[in-house]
């Protein structure tokens, strides 16, 4: 991650979107969230490229809800945030 600038702002926006949309109710990211039923997302970018993360948000495995109806800027920010978690 680049220090400061647009990258940090996008990271922070994405972190807020992930928190506001309820991801942490079923997923753990670092010390935040719950340990299930979804997988731990602390290092998700080490397992999945950003395109796969975006695809999962649109067409997830149940019981995860789809996030295809998020406004495009929020969706992009969430994917950018998750794509930096290595």
């Amino acid at each position: 991650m680049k220090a400061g600038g647009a990258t940090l702002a996008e990271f922070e926006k994405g972190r807020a979107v992930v928190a506001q949309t309820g991801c942490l109710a079923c997923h753990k990211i670092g010390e935040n969230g719950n340990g299930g039923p979804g997988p731990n997302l602390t290092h998700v970018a080490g397992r999945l490229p950003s395109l796969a993360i975006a695809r999962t948000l649109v067409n997830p495995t149940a019981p995860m809800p789809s996030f295809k109806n998020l406004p495009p800027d929020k969706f992009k920010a969430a994917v950018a945030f998750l794509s930096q978690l290595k």
Side-chain angles (χ1 to χ4, degrees), residues 1-9:
M1 180 174 72
K2 295 177 188 169
T7 303
L8 181 58

Side-chain angles (χ1 to χ4, degrees), residues 1-57:
M1 180 174 72
K2 295 177 188 169
T7 303
L8 181 58
E10 187 174 50
F11 181 86
E12 292 299 332
K13 181 176 181 178
R15 180 169 34 190
V17 170
V18 166
Q20 293 164 358
T21 56
C23 299
L24 298 176
C26 298
H27 296 280
K28 192 163 190 77
I29 298 175
E31 296 298 317
N32 299 311
N34 293 302
N40 187 315
L41 299 179
T42 303
H43 303 290
V44 68
R47 299 188 308 268
L48 296 173
S50 60
L51 187 58
I53 291 170
R55 205 171 24 243
T56 300
L57 292 174

Side-chain angles (χ1 to χ4, degrees), residues 45-78:
R47 299 188 308 268
L48 296 173
S50 60
L51 187 58
I53 291 170
R55 205 171 24 243
T56 300
L57 292 174
V58 170
N59 190 21
T61 302
M64 183 174 151
S66 174
F67 292 92
K68 66 183 175 188
N69 293 324
L70 270 180
D73 64 318
K74 288 187 176 189
F75 184 87
K76 180 182 174 203

